[in-house]
Amino acid sequence: MTADTTAAEGSTDTTAVEDLPAFLEREEVQRWLRPRRMFDDLTEAVKSFFEREDVQRCLRLLKMLASYAVLVLFALAFVMPFVLAGVSSFKSLPDIAQNPTSLMFDGELDSPTLDGLDRLDNDRVRIPRWALNSTIQTVSVTLGRLFLATLAGYALSRLRFWGRWFVFSAVIAVQGIPGIVLIIPRFLVLKELGILNTYWALILPLVFDAFAIFMMKGFFDLVPRELEEAAALDGASLWQTYSRVMLPLVSPGLIALTVLSVQGVWNEFLQSLLAAPSNPDIRTLPVGLALLRGAFGENNPWNTLMAASLITTIPMAIIFFTFQRYFRQGIATVGIKG
């Protein structure tokens, strides 16, 4: 009986397999499968269309245009405040009050005008003097920082002396101290040295920079030691190896440090305010601009403020865009080697 049952089941399976083509050819089954076949054919057609070379080229072009459109929108969002400041510098005060965000001049309100620029040099606004002080501070600090940072960075990278890693650890630890914490100690030191309200107070505290030492050590670490050994075989002294062999090889680091120092010192506010609490003759541009609004009371000359802000910003923008390649290289090197 079991054999008969197995034979019957096998016969049934064979019949079902033989009836499958006939089942699929039935009209109701075909009606059910037709939309799915049409969908598969449509999907295949769309896929083959997008795989065509000319279509792929158009898609790449559209993707590039969309990327540029997004970048342009972000660029406009960052540039518009500077454009508005430039336009406002040549507007009259009534025009600024009535059309504060307009990029057009209103001739009926005496715009454009040079009144904002004319007020840049008077008893209360001394932009030329402040710009001179900022230039003296920036150049002096940058040169001193380059000299000291390269010496310290070379010593920490190449010389072997007792406590070298302790000194380097201290340099790294100093970078973690907030600048605001050092305000009172710096003021007391400057007062005890008797250099408050002098150019020395503007320059000396900023010359010693831990990040500059850390950055230059990273660049010196990238230079192969074989070059120093070859210089030593040629009879070069330690100073000659440092000045004639190593410094030219780390010139990208020097340029990057110069850009960073110039930008940082030019925009330095806290130390500049601390150094000249009662001597307006050595105020720098950031300090002068910060105190400018109070100098006019409630009637702020916004065209003069906008012009002064642009004068402060334009030199740094030119320097950054000119040397941005070295700036990126310096930051990347510090990130890799540090």
Side-chain angles (χ1 to χ4, degrees), residues 140-195:
S140 302
V141 171
T142 301
L143 293 178
R145 190 176 289 180
L146 284 173
F147 179 72
L148 295 178
T150 51
L151 284 176
Y154 179 73
L156 292 173
S157 175
R158 289 296 194 258
L159 304 184
R160 294 293 180 266
F161 56 89
W162 185 86
R164 181 170 69 99
W165 287 109
F166 174 78
V167 174
F168 182 60
S169 300
V171 169
I172 296 177
V174 167
Q175 298 182 61
I177 301 177
I180 194 66
V181 176
L182 302 176
I183 290 299
I184 295 179
R186 279 185 179 180
F187 180 81
L188 295 177
V189 170
L190 295 177
K191 183 179 179 181
E192 290 298 322
L193 293 176
I195 58 176

Side-chain angles (χ1 to χ4, degrees), residues 5-321:
T5 303
T6 304
E9 291 177 355
S11 175
T12 303
D13 294 340
T14 303
T15 304
V17 172
E18 292 177 353
D19 290 345
L20 182 60
F23 173 77
L24 293 177
E25 291 178 358
R26 292 169 58 180
E27 184 178 355
E28 57 271 19
V29 176
Q30 289 295 322
R31 280 200 306 269
W32 184 80
L33 291 176
R34 192 175 297 116
R36 286 155 179 77
R37 290 174 179 171
M38 292 176 61
F39 177 77
D40 293 340
D41 294 341
L42 180 61
T43 302
E44 188 65 27
V46 172
K47 183 178 178 181
S48 61
F49 173 79
F50 281 103
E51 289 178 351
R52 290 169 50 184
E53 184 178 357
D54 53 344
V55 176
Q56 288 292 324
R57 204 160 43 240
C58 292
L59 290 176
R60 286 194 296 268
L61 179 61
L62 290 175
K63 183 179 180 180
M64 183 180 65
L65 292 176
S67 301
Y68 278 112
V70 173
L71 292 176
V72 168
L73 289 177
F74 276 101
L76 289 176
F78 283 100
V79 171
M80 281 303 296
F82 296 99
V83 175
L84 183 60
V87 173
S88 299
S89 301
F90 298 96
K91 282 185 176 183
S92 63
L93 292 178
D95 192 4
I96 294 177
Q98 186 169 337
N99 307 301
T101 59
S102 175
L103 298 179
M104 305 300 294
F105 298 108
D106 192 342
E108 297 181 356
L109 298 175
D110 298 329
S111 292
T113 179
L114 297 178
D115 291 344
L117 300 178
D118 293 338
R119 285 193 292 265
L120 289 177
D121 189 14
N122 54 46
D123 294 337
R124 290 179 292 183
V125 184
R126 306 177 62 184
I127 294 297
R129 177 70 182 184
W130 299 341
L132 176 63
N133 294 336
S134 291
T135 303
I136 293 174
Q137 182 191 34
T138 301
V139 173
S140 302
V141 171
T142 301
L143 293 178
R145 190 176 289 180
L146 284 173
F147 179 72
L148 295 178
T150 51
L151 284 176
Y154 179 73
L156 292 173
S157 175
R158 289 296 194 258
L159 304 184
R160 294 293 180 266
F161 56 89
W162 185 86
R164 181 170 69 99
W165 287 109
F166 174 78
V167 174
F168 182 60
S169 300
V171 169
I172 296 177
V174 167
Q175 298 182 61
I177 301 177
I180 194 66
V181 176
L182 302 176
I183 290 299
I184 295 179
R186 279 185 179 180
F187 180 81
L188 295 177
V189 170
L190 295 177
K191 183 179 179 181
E192 290 298 322
L193 293 176
I195 58 176
L196 276 178
N197 296 308
T198 65
Y199 283 107
W200 292 111
L202 286 175
I203 297 170
L204 287 181
L206 299 177
V207 169
F208 307 97
D209 185 69
F211 175 76
I213 298 174
F214 174 75
M215 178 177 176
M216 291 311 304
K217 179 186 180 301
F219 274 97
F220 282 119
D221 287 342
L222 296 177
V223 179
R225 292 184 178 273
E226 289 77 7
L227 297 177
E228 290 179 282
E229 295 173 357
L233 291 176
D234 291 337
S237 63
L238 183 62
W239 175 258
Q240 290 174 331
T241 302
Y242 159 76
S243 59
R244 298 185 180 182
V245 177
M246 300 297 288
L247 282 184
L249 293 175
V250 296
S251 56
L254 295 176
I255 298 175
L257 180 58
T258 301
V259 175
L260 290 171
S261 298
V262 168
Q263 284 193 314
V265 178
W266 182 268
N267 296 317
E268 177 63 36
F269 173 77
L270 203 55
Q271 176 60 37
S272 301
L273 179 65
L274 183 70
S278 58
N279 188 357
D281 290 335
I282 62 170
R283 285 176 181 168
T284 58
L285 277 173
V287 177
L289 292 179
L291 301 178
L292 194 59
R293 293 186 59 181
F296 290 94
E298 296 181 358
N299 299 320
N300 289 314
W302 293 109
N303 46 9
T304 302
L305 294 175
M306 293 297 102
S309 300
L310 284 181
I311 291 175
T312 305
T313 305
I314 288 175
M316 293 303 100
I318 294 174
I319 290 176
F320 177 78
F321 285 116

